[in-house]
Each structure stands twice: as structure tokens, then as C-alpha cells.
Amino acid sequence: MTDTTSNQMWGGRFAAGPDAIMEAINASIGFDRRLAAQDIAGSRAHAAMLAATGIISDSDAEAMREGLLTVLSEIEEGRFEFSTALEDIHMNVEARLKAIIGDPAGRLHTGRSRNDQVATDFRLWVRDQLDATEAGLKALIGALLGQAEAGADWVMPGFTHLQTAQPVTWGHHMMAYVEMFARDLGRVRDARVRMNECPLGAAALAGTSFPIDREMTAKELGFDRPSANSLDAVSDRDFALEFLGAASICAMHLSRFAEELVIWSSAQFRFVALSDRFSTGSSIMPQKKNPDAAELIRAKIGRIFGANVALMTVMKGLPLAYSKDMQEDKEQVFDAADNLMLALAAMEGMVRDMAPQRAALEAAAGSGFSTATDLADWLVRVLGMPFREAHHVTGSLVAKAEAKGCDLPDLSLEEMQSVHGEIDASVYDVLGVHNSVASRMSYGGTAPEQVRAQIARWKEVLT
Ligand code: ARG
């Protein structure tokens, strides 16, 4: 919609209203309406502070308080008419407040600017997202701990280069992701501590000559302190970038795990059965059960890291203090936050529901000469062979098994001794996958005992 009259908030020096295209490129109300609750909370804190410091009367502040609550309920109940001509959430709320309470509304903007207002609103919004991300990560970690505990001693192949490397335990593999998501949790918490400073009162850029109380508004809004430099307060968005950075790394971790689930649920692997609740069928191939949720989680990194790159690029090279470029911050962060929350929740559901296939995991664990390293270690330990020589002897035994079309434990003692005469029957003890994983007792290793110790540690840390 085009407003032909000049703007009611700043139209004093304007004779004409904006061109329709100008209005279209300028307005942010289409998306920053998501900041309504934060905007109203900020205004309520500001109004209360203006009265407490004697800058406005108590009766004006009371009218503002009630009026703002009315505006909030209108918005929450979908009865609010947003106006593009009023550009953004700040001016939409203030104009509606004026319509409800009249002249006192005009005093609300004393000692503040939309620049500190939007910085405050957006910080409050991002802070909520950091808290929501923390909750989402904790739920996902809880689901992983459940899977790890149930299969702490189940064996499966461990891979490097996606080639069978050594047997590992299912619990160990699940706990690897617990470590990753726990670091993501740490990043989110760190970012929250750093970002929890209140820009309100920085005003347009230089602070204000009114005797405002910034400690009071900061405290009211749950911030640890007011920000200490008004230029910085209105012009940086590093708090949003830290969120996007943490979100990107988390989405990258989700993507890797999702890729494993896609591979593991294929007919060629059959390591896990995904639940019907997190799969889809094919409209043409009746046998299909597709891991769509995992694929979409795998893909979310694209838009989340995209948002990170986009906002970093918007901020790069901006001179102090506020520039309208910064209005481009919000959609990126909104989209990244929405999709991260969705991906975390979908992954949690999938992990809770999935059924690891113990027999298939165990069968795969023993194939591909996965205990060759155990054999080499046995030659070192029992026969005192230098590791390099043991590596060579084991290689010859693998070649023998491969030629015969069998696995290492299927070679007879005579066949073993034809490669090295001192090998005795006790070698078979280390060729089994259960013995192999049980022997990996180094701290952080794959032995069920080690895995259970890590599960217990994380349970304690996270509760
Ligand atoms: N909608 C604006 C934004 O998101 C609010 C701040 C406007 N400030 C200004 N000086 N025009 O950045």
C-alpha cells in the first residue's frame, strides 16, 4: 500500500510521501513483526524507567503500560493491522499506542531511537533462540545417551575412508555425537553469556542528555548490564553472527549424522531401521521407505551456513554507527533459527525411534578383515615382533584369507603358520570382534567399559 502523505513519525521535513518502490524496499514490517513481543517488552521497560527517573509523569507511564499491553494482546490474537507505510514493528506499535492512549504515546520515544530499540529487540529474540537451541540440543543428547546405553557393547564396523577399519561399539559411535552436540551446547552457552548486554539507552548513536537509568532497563529485560559504548551498541550484530556460527557448526554435525543414517538405513547396510514416523514412501515403488527426514536434516546446513555467510557479508565494511543495511540481519537469522530448531527436533525424534539392527551390525563388524590390527598387535605383544614386521606378516595373512574368500578367523592354524611358524592357537582369541573391542581400554577407547564410563559422566554433567 502507498501512503501519499509524509510519514507521521518523521515527516516534519518532508513534503511528499515515499514512492511505492521506496516503501517496498524500505519496509521491514513483513518480517520484523516477529519482534513484536520483544519490542513491547522493551517499550514497557523504557516507559517505567522514564517515570522512575522523573523524565515523564507516572500517569503517562501508566497509560503507556496499559496501552502497550492492549497492543500486545491485539497482536497475539491476530487483531492487529500492520501497516507497510509505518515501515517496521517499532513504528507500527507506537502508532497504535497513540491511537489507543493519545498524546502520552508521543513521550515514549524520549531518550531512545529506533537504532537502540531494534538492537535491543533483536538481542532479546536471539537470546530466546539460544535458550531454545540449548533445550533442543539437550533433548537430542538425551536421545543419543539412550541409544548408547542400550547398545553400549554391541559391535559394529568402525570406518575410515568409509572402508572397514576396526570394530567399534554402537555405544561408542553414539557417544561420538554426544561429544559433538555437547560442544555445540557449550558454544550456545558461551554466546549467550557474551551477548547479554542491553543496548537500550544508546539512543541513535551517542547516548542521550536525558537522565536515564540504563541499569534499570537492563535489569528489567534480564540483561546482565547495559552495553558500555553507545556506538558499538547500535552498530554491531556480532551476537547474531555468533548464533549463526554456533548454528552452522551444529547444523554441520547434524548433517554428518543424518548422512550416516541415510547410509545405515539402506538395503546394502541395514544397520538401522528408521521408524515409519520419520520416513516416507514412494508413489511409484511400493517397497520404498525413504529416510526423508534424515535427508532434509542433511541439507539444512545449506541455508543455515548461507545465513551466516549472508549476514557476515552484510556487516563487512559498514562504517559506524547504524546503517540501514543492518535491517537485512533479521530474515537470515529467523530462517536459520527456525530450521535449526526443526532439524534438532526431527533428529531427536528419529534417534529415539530408530532401531539399530544388532545382528547386522555384528555381522558387518567381523567382515573386511576388521581385526587385522588386533592380529598385528598380538604378533608384537606375544612374539615380540617389531610393529612394522608384524604389519607385513598380517598383510600376508589378509592376502591369504582374501584369496581363500574367507575372514581372518577362518584361516586354519596351519595356514597361519605357513606365513609365520611361531603363531599359535591363542591368536584366535584376538580375532573375534568382541575381544577386539573389549581390549580397546585406553581412555576414550571403544571398550564397553570405557563407553559406559562416558555415558555416566555425561549424564552427570548434563543433569
Ligand atoms: N527497521 C529498522 C531495522 O531493522 C529499524 C531501525 C531503523 N533505524 C533508522 N535509523 N532508520 O534496522
Side-chain angles (χ1 to χ4, degrees):
M1 101 194 76
T2 309
D3 189 2
T4 47
T5 59
S6 61
N7 188 288
Q8 56 174 293
M9 298 291 173
W10 39 255
R13 79 184 295 284
F14 285 71
D19 188 273
I21 297 294
M22 177 58 199
E23 195 174 279
I25 194 174
N26 200 38
S28 53
I29 190 63
F31 48 88
D32 70 10
R33 64 180 66 182
R34 284 188 74 169
L35 301 177
Q38 289 77 10
D39 194 67
I40 288 168
S43 286
R44 285 182 56 194
H46 187 66
M49 180 277 292
L50 290 176
T53 50
I55 299 169
I56 64 170
S57 69
D58 286 343
S59 62
D60 280 355
E62 183 51 27
M64 288 174 194
R65 196 186 74 83
E66 282 184 17
L68 286 165
L69 286 174
T70 304
V71 177
L72 182 62
S73 54
E74 287 177 0
I75 293 173
E76 282 175 352
E77 290 157 23
R79 289 184 286 121
F80 191 95
E81 250 185 67
F82 292 101
S83 154
T84 311
L86 288 166
E87 270 188 54
D88 57 27
I89 187 61
H90 324 295
M91 297 211 288
N92 268 265
V93 169
E94 196 183 319
R96 181 67 190 130
L97 183 67
K98 179 134 197 287
I100 298 170
I101 69 168
D103 286 343
R107 299 186 193 282
L108 178 59
H109 216 50
T110 312
R112 78 170 185 188
S113 148
R114 276 189 295 157
N115 297 349
D116 58 339
Q117 212 181 336
V118 71
T120 304
D121 295 2
F122 199 32
R123 261 181 206 253
L124 289 170
W125 197 91
V126 170
R127 195 176 69 186
D128 283 351
Q129 289 309 307
L130 289 169
D131 291 343
T133 307
E134 167 158 358
L137 278 165
K138 278 187 181 159
L140 173 56
I141 290 170
L144 285 163
L145 285 170
Q147 285 286 355
E149 208 163 24
D153 57 359
W154 295 15
V155 287
M156 66 180 283
F159 299 93
T160 61
H161 315 266
L162 199 56
Q163 306 287 323
T164 300
Q166 294 173 356
V168 294
T169 47
W170 167 260
H172 197 215
H173 202 116
M174 292 300 107
M175 291 306 289
Y177 284 104
V178 167
E179 295 286 336
M180 291 178 239
F181 292 124
R183 283 195 297 277
D184 291 336
L185 190 63
R187 268 181 281 275
V188 164
R189 286 175 174 163
D190 289 352
R192 194 193 195 284
V193 169
R194 220 172 354 266
M195 66 92 71
N196 204 27
E197 295 187 341
C198 185
L200 195 59
L205 73 166
T208 176
S209 57
F210 290 100
I212 59 171
D213 181 350
R214 293 195 59 206
E215 294 285 347
M216 181 180 166
T217 40
K219 190 161 173 249
E220 179 62 31
L221 294 168
F223 288 109
D224 294 329
R225 64 191 82 82
S227 49
N229 183 301
S230 60
L231 290 167
D232 170 52
V234 295
S235 66
D236 208 354
R237 293 292 182 266
D238 58 356
F239 65 92
L241 285 164
E242 280 201 50
F243 169 66
L244 291 175
S248 296
I249 295 175
C250 178
M252 174 275 292
H253 286 150
L254 285 168
S255 182
R256 296 185 70 173
F257 191 28
E259 163 70 353
E260 298 211 290
L261 294 181
V262 170
I263 295 174
W264 290 353
S265 61
S266 70
Q268 289 68 29
F269 272 74
R270 290 189 201 280
F271 282 7
V272 294
L274 299 178
S275 77
D276 289 356
R277 302 194 322 140
F278 289 94
S279 310
T280 59
S282 158
S283 55
I284 175 168
M285 296 165 282
Q287 86 283 12
K288 290 292 289 275
K289 188 165 154 187
N290 294 326
D292 291 40
E295 295 166 271
L296 288 163
I297 294 168
R298 185 172 61 185
K300 290 297 183 193
I301 177 71
R303 61 203 295 168
I304 293 171
F305 187 52
N308 193 0
V309 173
L311 184 55
M312 190 69 93
T313 312
V314 166
M315 295 307 296
K316 174 196 167 298
L318 286 187
L320 300 188
Y322 177 85
S323 295
K324 195 62 173 262
D325 309 51
M326 287 157 66
Q327 182 167 286
E328 292 285 316
D329 56 1
K330 286 173 262 315
E331 284 168 291
Q332 301 295 342
V333 174
F334 291 161
D335 185 76
D338 290 345
N339 282 284
L340 181 66
M341 291 314 300
L342 197 53
L344 283 170
M347 186 58 102
E348 185 215 334
M350 247 186 334
V351 172
R352 282 197 192 286
D353 276 17
M354 73 184 179
Q357 303 295 295
R358 186 176 188 171
L361 288 165
E362 180 154 348
S367 70
F369 314 109
S370 65
T371 50
T373 313
D374 300 85
L375 174 53
D377 288 350
W378 183 90
L379 295 169
V380 170
R381 210 173 39 246
V382 179
L383 302 186
M385 226 179 246
F387 184 78
R388 283 292 155 224
E389 191 189 335
H391 186 284
H392 188 83
V393 169
T394 305
S396 307
L397 286 163
V398 166
K400 209 173 201 35
E402 195 163 38
K404 203 183 153 195
C406 68
D407 282 319
L408 281 173
D410 305 324
L411 288 177
S412 68
L413 188 58
E414 292 69 44
E415 284 166 326
M416 297 250 191
Q417 285 171 342
S418 74
V419 173
H420 196 279
E422 287 174 57
I423 296 177
D424 65 51
S426 73
V427 74
Y428 289 101
D429 291 345
V430 302
L431 296 182
V433 287
H434 287 282
N435 286 341
S436 169
V437 295
S439 73
R440 299 279 193 279
M441 270 297 288
S442 52
Y443 179 80
T446 203
E449 212 176 301
Q450 286 296 325
V451 172
R452 290 197 178 101
Q454 292 302 330
I455 294 172
R457 181 174 73 85
W458 277 115
K459 278 186 160 174
E460 200 170 308
V461 169
L462 290 166
T463 49

